Amino acid sequence: MKNTTLPELYKDMRRVRTFEERVGELFVRGQSAGSMLHLSIGEESAAVGVCAQMRDGDTFTTHHRGHGIFLARGADPNRMMAEIAGKESGYCAGKGGSMHIADMGLGHLGANAIVGGGIPAVVGAGLSARHRNSGAISVAFFGDGATGQGILYESMNMAALWKLPVMFVCINNQYGMGTRIDQATANPNLHERALAFGLAARTVDGLEVEDVAEAAAGLIDGARAGKPAFLAVDCYRFFGHARKDKSPYRDEAEEAEGRKKDPVLRARDKLISTGLMSEADLDALDARVAEEMDASIDFAVAGKEPQMQSMFRDVYDPSQPEPEPVRTRLDRILAQG
Amino acid sequence: MAVQETTYRDALRLALSEAMTADDSVIVMGEEVGRYGGAYGVTRDLIKEFGEERVIDTPISEAAIVGAAVGAAMTGLRPVAELMYVDFIGMTMDQLANQAAKIRYMFGGQIGVPMVLRTQGGTGRSAGAQHSQSLEGYVMHTPGLRLAMPATVEDAYHLLRQSLRQPDPVLFIEHKGLYTMKSTLDPDAEPAPWGKAKVLRDGADLVIVTYSRQVHHALAAAETLASEGIHASVVDLRTLNPLDFDTIRPLVETAGRAMVVSEAVMTCGVAAELSARITEECFDFLEDPVVRVAGEDIPISVSPLLEQNSVPTPDLIVETARKMFA
């Protein structure tokens, strides 16, 4: 388990926020692979608070807005940014990108571009952990949008039925793309659904990262002991769904109000007011983080494009023949005539 | 294991039981696979042998069964998930096509998904439009998924053992009309290699390319045709992915005529793909168009009369061959 003191939690949240800001910059500079980049600014406490309680050997899946979670679990920002740029030096050699980033070494079983698509994998990972008696848990991170998908309920039911070391973390940023949670469900008290399936479940306000970390600690201890859990973290998605979304479905007054719920600033203010860190210390820390994340852009931009022949690789195991390229096939067929 | 007279169903069970004995990471999961013993009895008594931790009865949640198998396979288990009917594949398609099939590729080759999804399809039991389909085309249309369809008792055993050694996800589609078929099985015999088709009958006039239960219809038809002087080869593909075109090509080049037989509906199906490949690859050798003898482009009826005539019969294969040589 990591150090869960407020200075550590603050540093991790600042790294997530700055990384996300740099992802936005990468896009503006025209260096990202596409515009399907989903920033988790405003949601840092969910990623950092929960991940602070996870251990080496634990596994997890994320949704499409998962940069912060991966970073909080120890990802290298350089390789993340390179993947987001579609470069060979990225975590998935440029084939996955922002929405399909993964790293088996860190237990990241994959980000997912299908809403809810990564959730049932943690049930299987929970079966594995129990089979090997490894003591590991597996955590599914997803947004409030995924509570509209049946696969969540199938998975929670199995986890509860089989008493698996599994946790479901719903990062409720209030929006599934442009649809606000109260426009998508009659009962937005999302943890109540998990209670109905027999999971330990609660909702925590994401404003205070320490509250999230504390809530996660109790639920994760339970999950490790075979009492699967569900945690909803209430927060606000500061910006649009993806980079090209200007949020026409909500007004500026709402956004201004929502952005007051800023876990990073809140933690910063608290560090100063309690005397744990001085403003000068925090400025210096922020500057170091900015440097680290600036470097990730440089790394990504300088990275090589994948080689063309890598296109046919990894459809199947390397021991198997690769699929035949269209040109090769056509040349062979038409050469006969 | 001794050479034995056994059924397609028992050969499948033997393969599962031996794989579970040999490898503790093999687990079986699905609806009714444990206490009930499987809707078609394939997993009968496995729960007594291996316990409920390794033979897992699941709720009726096809998507999560497949999704959990994906997660289990990524974390060190060798899951054999069961989908009671291939008709339910629509419930699982995200987990199959977007997750299992693409994980190795999307993640840059970091990890594979070595799982087997056993299911069964086809007509023959008046099971109606939602329990009688042949949906292998959905699978074959998805790069990343392997697809095995055993036609014989021998392959029920050997192809399942081989599927359990594959590094990639395998759809293993049995035929509900074959479970009680009996034949001799030698579990210790060297099986045909994974991904290789078998030529079950030689004939110089016509090549019939087929798989699953239609192999038996094709063999019966070939017998009739031989008595009329039309000699057909019968190729059992065994796996549709990998597809062994190397076995098909020289046979078609010699015979100059090819027929593809499949129980699945014709349009955009496996037969369409095979026909296109044979036409492209063997065009200069063909005397006739490659013909598809496939399922009608209609749902399957409950009426046994309508059901039987919705899919290729030995008579239809014979009639078609006669017309080719008329």
Side-chain angles (χ1 to χ4, degrees):
Chain A
M1 198 183 301
K2 290 204 217 163
N3 186 341
T4 55
T5 61
L6 191 57
E8 282 299 315
L9 296 171
Y10 171 77
K11 186 183 83 181
D12 284 355
M13 288 200 297
R14 174 57 71 189
R15 288 180 78 241
V16 171
R17 175 152 307 179
T18 307
F19 181 82
E20 295 289 47
E21 288 167 354
R22 296 301 181 272
V23 171
E25 196 181 318
L26 190 76
F27 167 70
V28 170
R29 286 171 58 173
Q31 298 281 354
S32 64
S35 65
M36 295 190 86
L37 305 168
H38 308 88
L39 306 186
S40 63
I41 293 176
E43 308 172 15
E44 295 87 350
S45 62
V48 169
V50 175
C51 289
Q53 308 294 359
M54 291 171 67
R55 293 180 193 160
D56 288 352
D58 290 346
T59 57
F60 61 104
T61 60
T62 80
H63 54 337
H64 57 287
R65 202 177 299 283
H67 300 157
I69 299 156
F70 191 21
L71 204 57
R73 282 303 293 144
D76 171 1
N78 288 352
R79 292 184 65 200
M80 281 187 72
M81 198 66 85
E83 188 58 40
I84 290 165
K87 297 297 180 66
E88 194 179 37
S89 51
Y91 269 104
C92 304
K95 283 179 172 165
S98 166
M99 295 198 289
H100 308 301
I101 205 162
D103 181 58
M104 298 310 124
L106 291 170
H108 191 354
L109 303 182
N112 222 293
I114 306 296
V115 172
I119 294 173
V122 304
V123 173
L127 286 170
S128 282
R130 191 175 67 183
H131 189 83
R132 293 192 315 273
N133 205 13
S134 69
I137 59 163
S138 193
V139 183
F141 291 91
F142 49 91
D144 46 291
T147 64
Q149 294 279 33
I151 192 73
L152 170 63
Y153 305 101
E154 293 186 18
S155 301
M156 289 201 297
N157 183 50
M158 284 182 180
L161 179 68
W162 298 332
K163 301 180 172 59
L164 295 176
V166 163
M167 180 159 168
F168 301 89
V169 177
C170 177
I171 303 176
N172 181 0
N173 67 15
Q174 314 301 319
Y175 280 90
M177 206 164 163
T179 301
R180 210 170 52 215
I181 184 70
D182 61 352
Q183 297 159 342
T185 179
N187 179 5
N189 297 316
L190 301 177
H191 76 275
E192 291 177 5
R193 303 171 188 199
L195 290 174
F197 283 96
L199 281 81
R202 58 180 287 198
T203 294
V204 64
D205 189 332
L207 179 59
E208 303 271 3
V209 66
E210 290 170 300
D211 292 349
V212 179
E214 190 203 341
L219 292 173
I220 284 177
D221 284 350
R224 252 184 241 290
K227 175 75 179 172
F230 178 101
L231 178 64
V233 184
D234 272 338
C235 45
Y236 189 76
R237 195 187 74 205
F238 281 20
F239 299 103
H241 163 69
R243 286 300 69 212
K244 288 188 168 170
D245 172 17
K246 306 286 185 224
S247 309
Y249 41 82
R250 62 190 195 186
D251 58 33
E252 286 178 13
E254 184 206 295
E255 290 193 340
E257 188 59 31
R259 287 174 190 160
K260 285 182 186 165
K261 193 168 184 163
D262 185 332
V264 181
L265 283 189
R266 179 77 164 199
R268 198 177 205 275
D269 289 347
K270 194 168 173 186
L271 286 167
I272 295 169
S273 67
T274 56
L276 278 168
M277 286 179 82
S278 70
E279 194 156 7
D281 288 345
L282 285 160
D283 287 346
L285 169 64
D286 291 356
R288 282 199 301 279
V289 169
E291 245 173 69
E292 181 194 14
M293 299 309 167
D294 284 342
S296 76
I297 290 196
D298 297 339
F299 182 86
V301 170
K304 280 192 224 147
E305 300 287 339
Q307 294 178 323
M308 272 288 276
Q309 60 265 37
S310 76
M311 188 159 72
F312 298 95
R313 205 173 296 151
D314 300 325
V315 182
Y316 303 101
D317 183 80
S319 65
Q320 309 290 311
E322 289 177 2
E324 185 180 28
V326 167
R327 269 202 186 82
T328 314
R329 182 177 58 83
L330 291 176
D331 286 350
R332 184 164 47 73
I333 290 162
L334 297 174
Q336 292 171 3
Chain B
M1 272 289 166
V3 177
Q4 52 198 282
E5 185 77 2
T6 190
T7 61
Y8 184 87
R9 170 195 287 137
D10 289 344
L12 292 163
R13 182 167 54 239
L14 181 66
L16 286 174
S17 168
E18 288 189 358
M20 293 183 82
T21 301
D23 180 356
D24 176 59
S25 68
V26 177
I27 62 164
V28 168
M29 60 190 295
E31 295 157 7
E32 310 294 348
V33 298
R35 290 164 195 86
Y36 191 100
Y40 282 89
V42 172
T43 56
R44 195 176 63 232
D45 292 340
L46 286 182
I47 194 168
K48 287 183 194 157
E49 201 176 342
F50 300 102
E52 57 187 47
E53 298 268 310
R54 291 182 68 198
V55 181
I56 304 172
D57 278 321
T58 67
I60 303 171
S61 304
E62 286 91 6
I65 292 167
V66 175
V70 169
M74 291 177 78
T75 51
L77 292 178
R78 268 259 173 205
V80 182
E82 179 174 318
L83 186 61
M84 197 186 285
Y85 285 78
V86 76
D87 309 70
F88 310 161
I89 201 170
M91 314 296 293
T92 76
M93 217 57 196
D94 172 56
Q95 290 302 318
L96 270 184
N98 287 323
Q99 316 298 339
K102 294 181 174 59
I103 278 172
R104 184 189 293 283
Y105 194 83
M106 292 191 299
F107 301 166
Q110 289 183 57
I111 192 160
V113 184
M115 61 177 276
V116 174
L117 181 60
R118 277 188 51 244
T119 185
Q120 56 78 28
T123 57
R125 293 180 62 90
S126 286
Q130 298 173 341
H131 284 70
S132 304
Q133 297 172 88
S134 298
L135 299 179
E136 53 271 21
Y138 292 6
V139 180
M140 201 181 180
H141 199 62
T142 307
L145 298 179
R146 298 304 195 185
L147 174 56
M149 296 189 70
T152 62
V153 169
E154 205 183 351
D155 274 343
Y157 175 83
H158 288 295
L159 269 182
L160 187 50
R161 291 301 306 265
Q162 289 173 333
S163 296
L164 271 156
R165 293 186 200 107
Q166 294 308 306
D168 295 304
V170 179
L171 261 286
F172 190 91
I173 308 181
E174 299 150 18
H175 196 292
K176 65 170 68 63
L178 296 179
Y179 283 124
T180 56
M181 177 178 64
K182 272 197 154 172
S183 183
T184 306
L185 170 69
D186 180 359
D188 298 323
E190 184 65 30
W194 169 261
K196 270 314 263 186
K198 262 191 196 167
V199 183
L200 296 183
R201 183 185 176 105
D202 286 311
D205 302 329
L206 167 68
V207 183
I208 304 177
V209 180
T210 186
Y211 58 94
S212 191
R213 188 182 60 164
Q214 290 297 333
V215 165
H216 304 285
H217 289 183
L219 288 169
E223 189 68 26
T224 306
L225 289 167
S227 68
E228 300 174 13
I230 299 170
H231 298 282
S233 306
V234 175
V235 179
D236 174 5
L237 290 169
R238 304 173 68 244
T239 60
L240 295 174
N241 183 349
L243 181 68
D244 175 17
F245 202 80
D246 291 342
T247 295
I248 299 171
R249 184 186 291 109
L251 295 172
V252 175
E253 287 178 359
T254 304
R257 288 185 174 83
M259 178 194 299
V260 184
V261 182
S262 163
E263 198 167 314
V265 297
M266 183 186 71
T267 300
C268 287
V270 171
E273 173 59 27
L274 285 163
S275 162
R277 285 213 197 177
I278 296 169
T279 303
E280 277 188 346
E281 305 256 353
C282 309
F283 187 76
D284 293 342
F285 299 87
L286 291 172
E287 306 282 343
D288 261 332
V290 179
V291 295
R292 286 173 287 168
V293 179
E296 302 287 351
D297 281 332
I298 57 173
I300 304 293
S301 297
V302 161
S303 147
L305 178 71
L306 299 182
E307 181 191 30
Q308 281 159 26
N309 287 288
S310 300
V311 299
T313 57
D315 286 349
L316 181 61
I317 298 169
V318 169
E319 267 176 55
T320 307
R322 283 181 190 144
K323 286 174 190 162
M324 291 175 87
F325 286 91

